[in-house]
Amino acid sequence: MKAVAEPTPSAESAIPAIPHLIGGERVSGTSGRSVAVFEPATGRHSGELPLASVKEVDVAVASAQAAFGQWRDVSIARRTKLMYAFRNLVADNAEEIARRLTAEHGKVLSDALGEVARGLENIEFACGLAEHLKGTYNEHASTGVDVYSVRRPLGVVAGITPFNFPAMVPLWMLPNAIACGNTFVLKPSERDPSAPTFIAELFHEAGFPPGVLNVVHGDKVAVDRLLEHPEVKAVSFVGSTPIARYVYETAASHGKRVQALAGAKNHLVVLPDADIDLAADSAVSAAYGSAGERCMAISVAVAVGDAADPLVDAIAARLEKLRIGPGTDPDSEMGPLITREHRDRVAEYVGIGDSEGATVVVDGRDAEFEGDGFFLGVTLLDHVTADMRVYQDEIFGPVLSVVRVESYHDAVDLMKNNQWGNGAAIFTRDGGAARQFQEDADAGMVGINVPIPVPVGYHSFGGWKDSAFGDTTMYGPEGIHFYTRPKVMTSRWPDPSRSAVDLGFPTNR
Ligand code: NAD
């Protein structure tokens, strides 16, 4: 199948219909249910997405199951070549993928290109499958006994992904899963499905057999079927905490392996000795980049002691200059939010913060925008405390809360008592404090003068506490572990002196 640039126009209307991809073919929805896809920068209804029925999910799983029979035995050499071809196609089409991301998600083009680059890292890691799939071997475990292990694929695995990284998060999952010999059913977010669908088309163009990767679009109906389907052996999920918990519990109760990454409230601790300009620049890009719709976004700046006033002033000064506009405009530094409803919900939180007693230093509701796009200005809340909803809830928008504390230990305690533990960062010039923070931070990923410590593709990604369910984090070495199961062989061969062939050993050996 040749990848195409645009979704297929539906017969009934001028709004393009986005297809499922099953068995290597574009397939129109037959459930009779669909949902509108919007361009957040304009509010335009830009696509219509079919929502799969149980029957359509079953067809996708059957296609993956049929492909698994052959795919698991395709040689490592061939799998590696195909993965390199896929890598090159994604690299060659980075701008087209980014264009789709900007259109349906709203993030600025440079962010969208960054997302593709991070996704590419995961394909590149999977290209090293020969190394990742090496087994282990012990000779002479006992006299004449050798023990060795290999890692085998699981079968059909499913990936269910969120709206905020519609290209990168599927690429956290499917390259490793498929490199390991599994086949895959992807259920992308229904908000911005064009980029992952296009990537799946590139995957087929690379030459992978039909059915190795299938894409079904859908909502809870499709997700629930994947969670209970007897032929789905493992589920990778990324999304909000309530749904991650539900996915984890439901899939596990159906006997599946599950990894479910979830929501976050990431803290950036600024010590009094920090370079305040560096901390403020980092806080602004990490809190407001991608309109705050990143699971590793900084949503709480914890100002320790004397750091507070200069930090708040420095952030506020930067916000005056921050340019908000359509992601296609090269001057824009921040785009719109994903939907009108989400934009309104985030704006409501600014009001909640105000009524709870936080100081609204910059109020995003004051910003004015032309047109029907889902834009909101940036908000900076100061004097936020741990009992406020703006501190406790994941807002997932361009709102940064500043919590003032007296000491480093207060900052650490604040994080310990928080529900989530995805990322945490510290800004300081003190090596001892930085090293201590590595140990004390109650989070899965820690940054030292780095606000968003997303691990490179050859490490693994995952948070602690309510930011992740399951015991294996995503991509990198833990991804290989998740998508394979061990088989251990113990072998004994006759003593060489008793071999049927005369090997020339003395008989009393
Ligand atoms: P979401 O939980 O609403 O949706 C995620 C996926 O679950 C989508 O594919 C959606 O179709 C499906 N889904 C939604 N409701 C469902 C239901 N009731 N039953 C079954 N399936 C359902 O998340 P979102 O709004 O798309 O993404 C934003 C969230 O994802 C934020 O909370 C963010 O922190 C989180 N996130 C976490 C990470 C991480 O690595 N920890 C990464 C990216 C995003």
Side-chain angles (χ1 to χ4, degrees):
M1 182 173 47
K2 189 102 178 80
V4 291
E6 295 297 338
T8 327
S10 73
E12 304 82 48
S13 73
I15 308 284
I18 297 152
H20 304 296
L21 282 178
I22 299 177
E25 298 293 329
R26 269 182 227 122
V27 178
S28 303
T30 56
S31 71
R33 293 191 312 127
S34 67
V35 67
V37 176
F38 291 94
E39 236 176 42
T42 60
R44 188 174 74 89
H45 177 179
S46 59
E48 195 64 20
L49 187 75
L51 298 173
S53 62
V54 165
K55 211 168 129 205
E56 287 169 303
V57 174
D58 286 354
V59 173
V61 174
S63 153
Q65 178 65 16
F68 178 63
Q70 284 91 49
W71 178 245
R72 69 177 157 205
D73 294 330
V74 168
S75 70
I76 283 181
R78 174 94 189 120
R79 274 186 268 163
T80 304
K81 280 199 177 71
L82 290 170
M83 202 53 80
Y84 270 105
F86 177 46
R87 184 258 166 226
N88 291 342
L89 278 170
V90 171
D92 291 348
N93 286 278
E95 283 183 11
E96 173 57 22
I97 298 168
R99 187 188 69 75
R100 289 171 181 242
L101 294 172
T102 294
E104 288 183 359
H105 175 283
K107 61 181 70 180
V108 299
L109 211 50
S110 55
D111 249 0
L113 283 166
E115 170 171 356
V116 180
R118 294 311 303 256
L120 271 168
E121 274 182 21
N122 300 110
I123 310 177
E124 285 159 4
F125 179 80
C127 287
L129 65 119
E131 185 62 27
H132 306 319
L133 293 177
K134 273 184 181 160
T136 63
Y137 200 107
N138 278 100
E139 56 180 3
H140 302 309
S142 182
T143 307
V145 174
D146 298 336
V147 180
Y148 50 100
S149 67
V150 295
R151 295 202 71 91
R152 300 288 299 154
L154 307 173
V156 179
V157 302
I160 300 156
T161 54
F163 81 81
N164 65 327
F165 284 105
M168 182 184 76
V169 172
L171 292 175
W172 283 1
M173 303 169 178
L174 67 91
N176 277 348
I178 290 171
C180 290
N182 301 285
T183 54
F184 204 89
V185 178
L186 173 67
K187 205 302 285 173
S189 168
E190 56 274 49
R191 311 248 178 268
D192 41 20
S194 289
T197 307
F198 181 60
I199 288 172
E201 292 188 322
L202 295 174
F203 180 89
H204 286 105
E205 197 183 326
F208 285 89
V212 170
L213 170 61
N214 305 273
V215 179
V216 276
H217 298 293
D219 55 5
K220 183 170 167 55
V221 172
V223 172
D224 283 348
R225 182 57 184 153
L226 289 170
L227 301 184
E228 67 181 28
H229 197 298
E231 290 305 337
V232 173
K233 301 301 178 200
V235 175
S236 295
F237 173 89
V238 177
S240 60
T241 292
I243 309 299
R245 185 181 277 117
Y246 167 76
V247 164
Y248 178 70
E249 290 174 358
T250 311
S253 75
H254 285 86
K256 300 184 198 320
R257 205 176 263 215
V258 203
Q259 51 179 188
L261 303 193
K265 194 88 182 174
N266 305 304
H267 294 60
L268 177 147
V269 177
V270 182
L271 295 189
D273 74 323
D275 176 336
I276 293 293
D277 281 329
L278 176 66
D281 283 339
S282 302
V284 169
S285 71
Y288 305 103
S290 214
E293 293 170 329
R294 291 176 177 148
C295 67
M296 288 291 274
I298 290 298
S299 43
V300 183
V302 188
V304 178
D306 293 342
D309 287 340
L311 181 69
V312 170
D313 290 348
I315 294 173
R318 282 158 175 77
L319 295 187
E320 279 173 24
K321 297 181 209 136
L322 195 128
R323 293 183 302 266
I324 302 171
T328 46
D329 180 346
D331 287 337
S332 300
E333 294 167 287
M334 189 185 111
L337 281 87
I338 184 69
T339 59
R340 183 172 283 116
E341 297 71 29
H342 185 55
R343 187 265 317 270
D344 295 347
R345 180 179 162 273
V346 174
E348 226 174 275
Y349 267 104
V350 182
I352 292 171
D354 191 18
S355 64
E356 284 177 318
T359 307
V360 185
V361 181
V362 180
D363 190 333
R365 297 168 301 177
D366 294 342
E368 287 177 10
F369 301 95
E370 282 173 11
D372 292 327
F374 313 145
F375 289 97
L376 180 67
V378 290
T379 293
L380 178 62
L381 300 175
D382 194 5
H383 299 287
V384 170
T385 52
D387 55 342
M388 294 181 183
R389 276 184 62 198
V390 284
Y391 175 78
Q392 289 170 356
D393 297 353
E394 184 184 35
I395 300 173
F396 219 56
V399 178
L400 175 64
S401 296
V402 178
V403 177
R404 294 173 177 239
V405 297
E406 282 181 12
S407 69
Y408 167 82
H409 292 290
D410 294 339
V412 168
D413 283 347
L414 184 75
M415 285 188 294
K416 274 205 166 47
N417 292 324
N418 191 274
Q419 174 188 357
W420 288 287
N422 217 33
I426 191 164
F427 276 69
T428 177
R429 292 182 166 103
D430 186 304
R435 187 167 184 276
Q436 188 61 39
F437 185 77
Q438 282 175 210
E439 203 171 308
D440 293 339
D442 209 16
M445 294 165 283
V446 175
I448 312 289
N449 297 319
V450 170
I452 302 195
V454 173
V456 288
Y458 40 94
H459 282 260
S460 299
F461 181 109
W464 288 6
K465 302 193 279 186
D466 282 356
S467 292
F469 301 90
D471 62 4
T472 308
T473 57
M474 217 161 271
Y475 71 75
E478 295 224 359
I480 301 295
H481 185 86
F482 181 76
Y483 293 123
T484 53
R485 53 186 169 171
K487 182 175 269 188
V488 186
M489 272 62 68
T490 303
S491 70
R492 185 205 302 276
W493 291 96
D495 187 310
S497 60
R498 292 202 273 134
S499 171
V501 183
D502 182 4
L503 298 174
F505 283 97
T507 48
N508 61 349
R509 183 173 175 269

